[in-house]
Each structure stands twice: as structure tokens, then as C-alpha cells.
Amino acid sequence: MTSASCPSAEFTLTVQAADAHTLRVAIHGYLDYDTSDEFTPAVDELLDAHAEQHGPPLRHLHLDWTDLTAFDSSGLSALLALHRRTHPAGITLHLHHQPAYFTRLLEVTGVMGHLTQHARGAASPATAEAASDTASAPVP
């Protein structure tokens, strides 16, 4: 297991498992106003290390929230920033073992589905065209 460098003892990330297409990371401690600015660079460091070791085909980032002890709107903002990086790169976020207060905040703000929507991989022009045709097809 690998931990990301985080100056705060109240927040750490630990790599639980990795292969070419999947990275599993556990979040420990607080992801709130005091630590949220550490989250993005810490996850960026893990993603960069994964790319160096396994290459660019990462498709699934699993985040385990079992050891999360606090989460607020600043943590939500950091999680949305992570989505802005991973989704365009074709990486789908998977959220596991969320505490009730975490799930409640995602549901109240309406971002649960947004954060976990399936990311499209690098599509060929034909695939992208077919997807746009399907999206614009009339509904019977």
C-alpha cells in the first residue's frame, strides 16, 4: 500500500490496489474546509504515479470512504474537481462505503449521479457519431 503525501495528519490517501485499468484508493480522516485543498494535489500525485507505472489506460478510480470522519461543501468541491479531471480522460469514479452524511450531501446537492456517471473512453469518430445520432433520435 502507498500513501499520498499530505501535510495534514487529519487527511491521508492510501492505494489499496492497482492494475492497468483500475486504481483503488482509501480516503482517511477529514475532507473538509481545512483539508480539501490537499485532496486534489494528493489524488493528482496518485494518478500521475499510476500512469508512470501502468501507462495511460486507467478507466476506473474506486474511492473507499470507510475511514472518512468529516465531509463538507469544501470536500464536495474537491470531489467535483477530481471529476473534472477524470471524466474527460475516460476515467469513471466509483464511490464505496460512504458514511450516511456523505451520501446525504451528495443526494441533497444532486451530484451523486453526476460524479458516478460512466466516462466514455477515447472513442473513434464513428463511435462518437453513432452516439450523437442515438442521442438525437426521436423517442417513440
Side-chain angles (χ1 to χ4, degrees):
M1 286 196 240
T2 307
S3 291
S5 301
C6 297
S8 172
E10 297 173 344
F11 168 76
T12 58
L13 298 175
T14 304
V15 174
Q16 295 177 319
D19 62 41
H21 301 289
T22 304
L23 181 61
R24 296 180 184 280
V25 177
I27 295 87
H28 309 276
Y30 302 103
L31 184 53
D32 60 7
Y33 177 79
D34 293 326
T35 61
S36 61
D37 59 339
E38 301 167 24
F39 181 76
T40 300
V43 174
D44 285 347
E45 182 180 313
L46 292 176
L47 293 173
D48 292 344
H50 183 274
E52 284 180 32
Q53 183 176 7
H54 297 284
L58 182 65
R59 291 292 166 239
H60 302 279
L61 177 58
H62 294 265
L63 300 173
D64 184 337
W65 302 96
T66 301
D67 294 327
L68 184 71
T69 53
F71 185 78
D72 66 8
S73 60
S74 296
L76 177 59
S77 179
L79 192 54
L80 288 166
L82 173 62
H83 181 267
R84 283 190 299 274
R85 175 183 176 176
T86 57
H87 193 75
I91 302 169
T92 300
L93 294 179
H94 303 271
L95 309 177
H96 303 284
H97 309 291
Q98 309 94 287
Y101 59 85
F102 177 94
T103 302
R104 176 81 174 130
L105 183 58
L106 297 184
E107 289 173 351
V108 166
T109 57
V111 299
M112 177 67 90
H114 173 73
L115 287 172
T116 59
Q117 70 189 41
H118 183 70
R120 290 186 182 160
S124 68
T127 305
E129 185 176 310
S132 68
D133 288 345
T134 302
S136 62
V139 177

